[in-house]
Amino acid sequence: MCWRLQGAARAHPGILIVGLMLSVALMGLAANLLARVIGRYRWVAYVGLFVILYVAVRMIVDGWYAPVTGLGTLFS
């Protein structure tokens, strides 16, 4: 995200600083809102955990069986 702000600000460091401060503030608000939702609805955390585990397993499997760059090519 920083490179987008840097590209938008070009040679104006003031705009870059304001953009970074705005980004940090919005991330803090989003984290606070998400923490409240997880605190109220515990199942949301389990859904997030399932999504993270699914993506991790998918990356491991795809990385092993990729035809050109996969780890399986080392042992074939």
Side-chain angles (χ1 to χ4, degrees), residues 9-69:
R10 301 265 179 205
H12 303 286
I15 294 174
L16 179 65
I17 291 170
V18 169
L20 288 172
M21 289 173 55
L22 182 64
S23 295
V24 170
L26 289 175
M27 287 297 291
L29 288 172
N32 190 9
L33 177 67
L34 190 60
R36 287 184 187 180
V37 169
I38 289 174
R40 186 173 296 160
Y41 305 107
R42 195 68 167 166
W43 60 270
V44 173
Y46 291 113
V47 170
L49 176 64
F50 175 75
V51 169
I52 290 172
L53 288 175
Y54 173 76
V55 170
V57 169
R58 181 79 189 261
M59 289 174 67
I60 291 169
V61 170
D62 288 348
W64 184 265
Y65 292 111
V68 178
T69 60

Side-chain angles (χ1 to χ4, degrees), residues 1-16:
M1 180 135 163
C2 287
W3 62 271
R4 289 183 183 178
L5 288 173
Q6 184 179 4
R10 301 265 179 205
H12 303 286
I15 294 174
L16 179 65

